[in-house]
Amino acid sequence: MRYLSTRGHADPKRFCEILLEGLAPDGGLYMPSSYPQVDAATLEKWRGLSYAELAFEILSLYIDDVTAADLKALCDKTYTASVFATPEIVPLRALDGNLYLEGLSNGPTLAFKDIAMQLLGNLFEYELARRGEELNVLGATSGDTGSAAEYAMRGKKGIRVFMTSPHGRMSPFQQAQMFSLQDENIHNIAIEGVFDDCQDIVKAVSNDLAFKRKYKIGTVNSINWARLLAQVVYYFAGYLRSTSSAQQRVAFAVPSGNFGNICAGHVARMMGLPISHLVVATNENDLLDEFFRTGVYRVRSGSDTHETSSPSMDISKASNFERFAFDLLGRDPVRTKALFHDALLAAGGFDLHADASFAAASVRFGFRSGRSTHADRLATIRDTWERLDTMIDPHTADGVKVAREHMTAGVPMIVLETALPVKFSAIFEEALGRTPDRPARFDGIENLPKRMQVMPADVDAVKRYIVERVGL
Ligand SMILES: *Cc1c(COP(=O)(O)O)cnc(C)c1O
């Protein structure tokens, strides 16, 4: 398998070459040169596999520069009942009618990002050891990504994590999750500022190429292909658990922000997994819903980006959307670049409604969409609790609300649960008049000693901190 850039950079690469990279040199995103096909007989054969075995089968189709034995060992080490609190890893639960919830949030930080990030941690450690190199992951987080990265990289050889977060602005639970880590290779930097200040610092440090090279600065952001690939696996798992024959079709509904999660569903469908529809659910930040309804893609300004009660979906642009658009445009890198580089720079968006490709988004690629508001989240959380005895988090509620608008008779609809309620407890007083359930393993986490450094929003101060810790 070779990987190419959505913007046409003419130097196809292998998996381990792009593993530690972010964007392609031309600013595009890496994509597999083709989608390996999985036929009905193979699907039937996979029905009895454990999650780790299934992951190995699917990853093997895309990774040919890690030996089979090593890849198997990496999957076995990643997808265990002790890390994901259940032997099923992604348990499927029936709600009502033909509606299901696939539980992706049983990992260490209680959000679906653990599923890919835990694999990434093990892949990074493996590849860095093979190269005899080190990596210093620098990131900015408002909650989910940073903690998932830290729990994936803690204690890993050759890796340090420097994670900036806005001081005092994450939920007490999220702060406790991150700051209670005592591992020597994890460095929490609480910046006196807002999330944008953190992101600006990370950009400034990464744009200093000499510093970046000398101190081996890397990232773990959502455009990393390995993260997307790891997410493909749970679409297959959800399909196999909700069907009894490979003649059946299912639909998925996905609470979406940066389009990473649902893009993995697109990849699974392109591989031949019988998915009838992929339903994009957004919150009030509805640029993806707007695109699938109208053909207009419009990046939002800061003042036009809403702070909502499903904060992990509060985005102004969808960084993985270019991957799907590349397929939608017939894999034409010139057009992809014209839209995602030229048109975004010049006009902040583009309009495909009159283009023949736009109809394909729904007809050929199976996409549907919808949006959900704070009032919808409250109503959905209440309804799911009162009628179905199930507590869902606000992001998952966006998924359930939109899923119900796109049901087809006889086709199971699987909503991907992207976090557990305890992570986003603020809305539950308002929705249910009580605090959410908390898994016993997190009892008292707020009382643990905290390890973090408070710092002004100053690039040089952060650089000095890194230099001292890396010690070069
Ligand atoms: C990251 C995240 C999302 C959005 O996922 P994308 O891959 O960015 O579309 C939704 N819900 C939760 C809880 C998240 O952490």
Side-chain angles (χ1 to χ4, degrees), residues 149-178:
E150 291 189 353
Y151 278 78
M153 306 295 168
R154 63 187 294 200
K156 294 274 184 289
K157 290 186 225 42
I159 305 175
R160 292 183 197 85
V161 177
F162 295 90
M163 191 58 66
T164 61
S165 61
H167 183 43
R169 284 174 191 261
M170 293 190 297
S171 76
F173 185 83
Q174 285 177 320
Q175 294 186 37
Q177 271 192 319
M178 284 180 56

Side-chain angles (χ1 to χ4, degrees), residues 70-386:
D70 287 352
L71 189 58
K72 182 90 181 56
L74 287 165
C75 292
D76 288 346
K77 178 176 163 186
T78 302
Y79 297 111
T80 67
S82 66
V83 174
F84 287 94
T86 149
E88 297 162 288
I89 310 298
V90 293
L92 194 72
R93 168 168 189 172
L95 287 179
D96 55 351
N98 236 337
L99 197 62
Y100 294 83
L101 208 55
E102 186 172 358
L104 306 183
S105 315
N106 302 301
T109 74
L110 306 184
F112 84 98
K113 291 186 174 72
D114 286 331
I115 295 189
M117 207 70 94
Q118 287 289 321
L119 181 74
L120 203 68
N122 287 325
L123 280 168
F124 273 21
E125 184 178 51
Y126 173 86
E127 182 58 17
L128 288 168
R130 192 154 78 162
R131 296 184 191 181
E133 287 177 13
E134 288 190 354
L135 183 71
N136 295 304
V137 171
L138 175 65
T141 189
S142 52
D144 284 359
T145 308
S147 58
E150 291 189 353
Y151 278 78
M153 306 295 168
R154 63 187 294 200
K156 294 274 184 289
K157 290 186 225 42
I159 305 175
R160 292 183 197 85
V161 177
F162 295 90
M163 191 58 66
T164 61
S165 61
H167 183 43
R169 284 174 191 261
M170 293 190 297
S171 76
F173 185 83
Q174 285 177 320
Q175 294 186 37
Q177 271 192 319
M178 284 180 56
F179 300 162
S180 65
L181 286 177
Q182 300 297 327
D183 305 77
E184 261 180 43
N185 71 329
I186 303 297
H187 303 280
N188 286 302
I189 306 174
I191 296 289
E192 289 168 329
V194 295
F195 174 65
D196 283 338
D197 296 319
C198 301
Q199 217 162 18
D200 289 344
I201 290 171
V202 170
K203 273 190 206 146
V205 175
S206 303
N207 287 340
D208 180 345
L209 293 182
F211 185 89
K212 189 178 172 197
R213 202 167 307 121
K214 178 164 183 200
Y215 292 99
K216 309 211 176 327
I217 304 294
T219 59
V220 288
N221 49 25
S222 81
I223 50 139
N224 183 294
W225 166 256
R227 275 181 69 180
L228 206 107
L229 177 57
Q231 294 173 177
V232 171
V233 177
Y234 52 68
Y235 284 87
F236 280 83
Y239 175 83
L240 292 170
R241 288 178 190 167
S242 62
T243 59
S244 52
S245 130
Q247 304 311 313
Q248 289 165 271
R249 300 204 300 168
V250 307
F252 285 91
V254 186
S256 292
N258 274 319
F259 205 77
N261 199 352
I262 199 157
C263 193
H266 166 66
V267 172
R269 193 174 181 275
M270 296 302 282
M271 293 168 72
L273 189 67
I275 296 175
S276 63
H277 295 117
L278 288 164
V279 182
V280 180
T282 74
N283 62 18
E284 291 88 335
N285 297 293
D286 57 357
L287 64 164
L288 289 170
D289 178 45
E290 180 176 357
F291 174 78
F292 286 104
R293 277 187 300 104
T294 68
V296 173
Y297 183 73
R298 186 169 56 86
V299 171
R300 308 297 200 244
S301 64
S303 60
D304 206 11
T305 305
H306 308 274
E307 253 183 65
T308 76
S309 48
S310 45
S312 299
M313 292 155 62
D314 293 350
I315 45 115
S316 56
K317 60 181 191 316
S319 47
N320 271 293
F321 186 59
E322 181 170 336
R323 286 199 154 101
F324 168 67
F326 180 62
D327 282 346
L328 185 67
L329 298 166
R331 298 204 141 204
D332 179 340
V334 176
R335 282 204 72 195
T336 308
K337 182 164 184 229
L339 295 182
F340 282 85
H341 182 262
D342 308 341
L344 285 199
L345 263 187
F350 51 80
D351 181 356
L352 285 183
H353 90 272
D355 194 280
S357 67
F358 176 58
S362 140
V363 178
R364 176 154 170 252
F365 295 102
F367 274 88
R368 299 283 182 274
S369 73
R371 81 195 278 275
S372 167
T373 63
H374 182 70
D376 293 324
R377 283 189 279 288
L378 290 174
T380 307
I381 289 171
R382 261 182 221 133
D383 174 63
T384 312
W385 174 242
E386 286 165 8

